[in-house]
Amino acid sequence: MKTLNNLTVNEAQYQAITHGAGAMLVLAGPGSGKTFTVTQRIKYLIERHKVKPEDILVITFTKAAANEMQERFVKLVDGKNYPVHFGTFHAIFFQILRYTYRFTAENIIRERDKYKLLSQMISEMPPETGTQLQSDSNMDSAETLQRLLSEISKVKNNGIEPQQFRSETVTQAEFEYLYHAYKKEMSHHRLVDFDDMVLLCRNLLVERPETLALWQERFKYILVDEFQDICPLQYEVVRLLAKPQDNLFIVGDDDQSIYGFRGSKPEIMLNFTKDYPNAKQVLLNVNYRSKKDITDTAGKLIAHNKIRFQKTVETQNAQTDGVKIYSFPSKLKQAENIALLIQQYMEQPGAKYSDIAILYRTNNHMVYTAGRLIQEGIPFLMKEKPKNRYGSTIAKDIISYLNYALYGNSPEDFVRIMNRPVRYIKRNTVPLKPFGINELLDNNRGVDYAIQNILKLYDAFRFIKSLNPFSAVNYIRKGVGYDEYVRKQAREKGRSCAKEMEELEELMQLAKGFETIEEWLEHIQGYDAVMNEALCQENRQKHSDMDAVNIVTMHASKGLEWDVVILPDVNEGVVPHKKAVTDEELEEERRMFYVAMTRAKKSLFIFYVHEKEAGNLLPSRFLDEIV
């Protein structure tokens, strides 16, 4: 330990804070005092190395992080008027573009207008290009547009051409057309989005040496926070600005790189010392946040990644009773135990609901827990309302099959699925009020093929009723012939049925978490009600500052910390996500789980559902890596 400005710091922090000119890589593990180190270094540069405050640029990834860093620095220097420049990448790039091109805020396209513009591009797509998208009834759904915009963003941030990118949303021809059409329309209206700012800024600095020299003179010392989240194009711009002195001080943790979908690449951080051979490197390896076994358990997990700096994290808190792993037979039991755990915690002196966070891989897995917390009167905050996964045509068809098989009292459910697949049952033979099979057979007397199909359908209903949810959906798909019906419909419309097949697979995954069809249908029926109640509760708490449990996605938890962290649904297909297939994707999923684990200060609870009968819901492979 060393003393610096009357503060006790560890050796690694001392090296980082007192570093003078030249490049430096600071690996900052979870809870290692990263913000403290950065702000102390800025102060040291000004007061000891006599660097002019206006020559220092501090770059973060979010406005909130920039504001927090600036506030911490101002407090550190007792409110002295040091004009250090704090800002996000986009704010810095926009400042450069505004100076040269006289851009204003009016030139930045609003998020909702991006969706409108892309939707317009889809509607205007030539028939020979848009065979798949234009025949899809959900072609301009918010989800499809969001995926397309994310893919366009990835192309821009990686500095590649659209033909070098493989879209998972549309065909190659469609993607290339939409990319160029979107770019052309943006240019026509003199509009830019955040990704354009990076691209335009790079081109400006490369093509105009005098402009580059001006900004190099303006920012002589550059500090980048959360460097692991940088994308190739952002890195290129930062490298240009840092020349020729290369006073580039980067701080981050490659093990917390979880924004691959935005184009970030941990390899950039791994190769930093190759780009800057004279760069110094230091590891902030003391975790001041978590108990020892939380840190050690997370360390076991992340050690399985190959694309990383090898490192060992230590902790000042030697306690080793912080990690608990539990298995439950269903989502219902899991939710009950989450509520019970919270209630038991609140019995402790001084306990607050806000000490607790429930972290999910995606917001769509939050609903069951939210419903249970409402039932138990436990206040909670949820940042966003998950989409209704049971609102699609496919889901409604499956639900109608299940509902009618169990209860047989809804003519609406029967009418919905009686000809899916086609059974030649005429609508005018179906009573408007609840009916039995005999009444339906009487109404179809003389139509032998319809009668045979009705008898088969009711046999199917009886069999479905005897199954668990997973097996029931599988039987409807394969035994009843729903999959073939979907394929036939797609063929007749000349399009792919990939989206519908994906939805059916997702429904089967959802079904795995429930023991009975009744339990699942009850959950589905309350889905929207739970979400609306959750948002109402959240609004009340926002305005009244009520103490509440935090329900957050793993992505959104980054940079935050709580005394108690609960990680539910740690199952295959969820953690890691079912869409993670390649080694690179699985490593990012492992980093995501690592981030979630290291949010915990005192207690970490890992829950999973293990149900062999209902589709064999398995514990996550990551659990084998930490026990």
Side-chain angles (χ1 to χ4, degrees):
M1 303 299 287
K2 294 201 171 188
T3 302
L4 181 71
N5 297 331
N6 298 320
L7 293 170
T8 300
V9 297
N10 62 44
E11 178 62 35
Q13 287 175 327
Y14 182 83
Q15 288 181 38
I17 292 167
T18 59
H19 175 69
M24 175 174 256
L25 163 62
V26 179
L27 288 167
S32 61
K34 171 175 66 73
T35 305
F36 166 83
T37 302
V38 173
T39 52
Q40 286 286 345
R41 166 165 168 73
I42 301 167
K43 182 174 187 281
Y44 199 89
L45 280 175
I46 296 167
E47 297 182 353
R48 298 294 184 91
H49 290 297
K50 304 305 178 185
V51 174
K52 294 178 182 176
E54 58 268 30
D55 289 348
I56 301 172
L57 170 64
V58 184
I59 307 177
T60 65
F61 277 82
T62 67
K63 190 174 181 180
N67 290 340
E68 182 190 356
M69 188 79 76
Q70 187 166 17
E71 287 167 9
R72 292 271 292 269
F73 175 69
V74 170
K75 188 175 180 181
L76 177 64
V77 296
D78 299 321
K80 291 175 186 172
N81 188 23
Y82 289 151
V84 176
H85 196 101
F86 294 85
T88 64
F89 275 104
H90 294 127
I92 305 305
F93 297 159
F94 185 68
Q95 182 182 349
I96 294 171
L97 294 173
R98 183 174 57 189
Y99 182 86
T100 303
Y101 297 130
R102 300 294 184 260
F103 276 179
T104 69
E106 294 299 312
N107 296 107
I108 304 175
I109 191 170
R110 294 172 183 167
E111 197 66 22
R112 65 174 180 269
D113 291 334
K114 287 166 68 173
Y115 282 74
K116 285 182 186 175
L117 185 60
L118 191 56
S119 181
Q120 179 188 334
M121 297 299 99
I122 291 172
S123 67
E124 296 174 354
M125 196 156 40
E128 65 272 16
T129 306
T131 53
Q132 178 177 313
L133 259 185
Q134 289 190 320
S135 60
D136 187 343
S137 59
N138 293 314
M139 66 179 181
D140 59 352
S141 69
E143 186 180 353
T144 300
L145 295 173
Q146 186 179 30
R147 288 204 305 264
L148 279 168
L149 286 168
S150 177
E151 290 179 343
I152 290 171
S153 173
K154 221 170 195 178
V155 169
K156 291 179 181 178
N157 282 317
N158 280 288
I160 59 177
E161 293 300 318
Q163 58 266 30
Q164 297 173 267
F165 180 81
R166 185 180 175 186
S167 171
E168 295 180 1
T169 308
V170 294
T171 67
Q172 188 64 29
E174 286 171 344
F175 182 75
E176 289 181 30
Y177 171 83
L178 290 172
Y179 179 89
H180 290 299
Y182 175 77
K183 186 178 176 183
K184 183 178 178 182
E185 195 66 14
M186 291 275 285
S187 178
H188 175 71
H189 292 288
R190 207 164 182 262
L191 290 170
V192 294
D193 58 24
F194 288 133
D195 303 316
D196 291 324
M197 289 184 201
V198 188
L199 196 57
L200 286 170
C201 199
R202 191 278 303 267
N203 292 344
L204 172 66
L205 298 179
V206 168
E207 294 165 8
R208 300 196 189 180
E210 72 284 358
T211 301
L212 175 60
L214 185 151
W215 291 101
Q216 287 172 337
E217 182 66 22
R218 172 74 175 80
F219 300 129
K220 293 177 181 173
Y221 285 79
I222 300 176
L223 297 83
V224 184
D225 188 25
E226 301 287 4
F227 188 80
Q228 74 279 351
D229 295 331
I230 203 165
C231 71
L233 214 56
Q234 290 170 335
Y235 182 47
E236 189 177 344
V237 175
V238 168
R239 291 196 70 191
L240 286 168
L241 291 173
K243 290 180 182 299
Q245 294 98 332
D246 289 335
N247 293 326
L248 185 55
F249 183 89
I250 67 162
V251 185
D253 182 5
D254 56 305
D255 289 334
Q256 296 185 64
S257 178
I258 58 173
Y259 293 109
F261 64 93
R262 292 183 191 167
S264 65
K265 293 181 179 292
E267 292 88 345
I268 296 175
M269 192 167 191
L270 291 167
N271 292 326
F272 184 79
T273 51
K274 292 180 182 176
D275 296 331
Y276 295 91
N278 296 323
K280 293 181 180 177
Q281 182 175 319
V282 66
L283 168 65
L284 303 184
N285 68 331
V286 180
N287 184 325
Y288 294 97
R289 173 191 296 155
S290 306
K291 286 184 179 180
K292 185 177 189 302
D293 62 335
I294 295 173
T295 301
D296 290 350
T297 304
K300 281 185 194 175
L301 172 83
I302 203 63
H304 285 79
N305 270 8
K306 294 182 173 61
I307 304 173
R308 67 185 294 262
F309 287 105
Q310 296 300 316
K311 60 182 88 71
T312 302
V313 177
E314 302 171 1
T315 180
Q316 285 204 326
N317 189 337
Q319 290 178 281
T320 57
D321 60 345
V323 181
K324 304 286 193 306
I325 302 174
Y326 295 106
S327 168
F328 301 99
S330 69
K331 285 181 178 290
L332 176 64
K333 292 296 182 187
Q334 178 181 256
E336 286 175 358
N337 278 274
I338 289 173
L340 181 62
L341 175 62
I342 294 169
Q343 288 165 338
Q344 289 173 342
Y345 176 80
M346 290 304 294
E347 292 173 1
Q348 300 177 35
K352 301 194 297 290
Y353 285 117
S354 57
D355 295 338
I356 305 167
I358 307 170
L359 308 185
Y360 280 90
R361 173 61 182 85
T362 69
N363 62 11
N364 290 320
H365 287 93
M366 302 173 178
V367 179
Y368 216 81
T369 300
R372 188 70 194 187
L373 298 190
I374 290 171
Q375 192 177 330
E376 296 292 336
I378 296 172
F380 64 90
L381 285 171
M382 187 186 294
K383 285 189 175 180
E384 54 183 321
K385 177 182 177 181
K387 70 171 185 176
N388 190 344
R389 303 164 91 188
Y390 302 108
S392 70
T393 298
I394 294 288
K396 287 177 180 177
D397 286 352
I398 298 299
I399 292 164
S400 287
Y401 265 107
L402 298 175
N403 211 35
Y404 203 84
L406 254 65
Y407 306 114
N409 61 0
S410 169
E412 291 81 7
D413 281 330
F414 185 86
V415 168
R416 181 178 188 94
I417 49 87
M418 66 184 184
N419 286 312
R420 298 183 182 186
V422 175
R423 298 183 180 91
Y424 305 101
I425 304 171
K426 292 183 179 179
R427 175 68 183 84
N428 61 6
T429 68
V430 181
L432 298 176
K433 294 181 179 179
F435 56 89
I437 184 173
N438 290 333
E439 187 176 354
L440 187 62
L441 290 172
D442 285 342
N443 291 348
N444 283 271
R445 189 179 293 121
V447 188
D448 290 347
Y449 55 84
I451 285 177
Q452 290 302 315
N453 286 334
I454 290 168
L455 290 170
K456 284 182 182 177
L457 178 57
Y458 272 80
D459 282 343
F461 286 147
R462 281 188 286 273
F463 187 57
I464 289 167
K465 190 175 181 177
S466 70
L467 301 173
N468 61 49
F470 177 87
S471 301
V473 177
N474 191 47
Y475 176 70
I476 292 166
R477 294 182 64 187
K478 307 296 194 299
V480 175
Y482 189 79
D483 273 15
E484 184 50 40
Y485 161 76
V486 170
R487 291 191 188 97
K488 187 178 179 183
Q489 290 287 304
R491 283 196 301 269
E492 289 174 356
K493 293 178 181 177
R495 64 173 178 81
S496 164
C497 63
K499 183 178 178 183
E500 287 86 349
M501 290 298 127
E502 187 178 332
E503 277 193 49
L504 285 162
E505 288 297 327
E506 184 179 20
L507 279 170
M508 290 186 72
Q509 291 298 319
L510 290 170
K512 285 183 178 182
F514 301 89
E515 293 180 284
T516 66
I517 294 174
E518 291 94 333
E519 182 185 304
W520 193 26
L521 288 175
E522 183 184 340
H523 164 69
I524 292 168
Q525 189 176 9
Y527 195 102
D528 264 348
V530 167
M531 286 301 91
N532 290 331
E533 173 60 26
L535 289 178
C536 288
Q537 187 165 306
E538 182 180 358
N539 289 333
R540 286 195 296 271
Q541 287 155 6
K542 277 180 180 175
H543 290 98
S544 62
D545 242 6
M546 280 177 62
D547 185 31
V549 173
N550 298 273
I551 301 182
V552 187
T553 63
M554 292 182 181
H555 269 114
S557 74
K558 190 162 168 288
L560 304 175
E561 59 182 41
W562 295 273
D563 284 352
V564 179
V565 169
I566 304 168
L567 306 179
D569 290 336
V570 183
N571 286 91
E572 281 296 306
V574 181
V575 182
H577 196 277
K578 63 184 178 182
K579 290 185 177 178
V581 177
T582 66
D583 289 344
E584 184 180 9
E585 290 166 340
L586 286 169
E587 291 217 351
E588 177 151 326
E589 289 292 312
R590 192 177 282 109
R591 291 194 294 269
M592 181 107 58
F593 194 44
Y594 174 78
V595 166
M597 293 173 72
T598 54
R599 301 309 94 198
K601 293 196 283 186
K602 296 178 181 177
S603 299
L604 173 64
F605 293 89
I606 300 173
F607 291 172
Y608 65 95
V609 179
H610 198 178
E611 175 53 85
K612 289 186 178 179
E613 298 302 319
N616 198 20
L617 195 58
L618 297 172
S620 168
R621 71 191 74 180
F622 293 158
L623 295 179
D624 290 334
E625 299 175 359
I626 63 176
V627 293

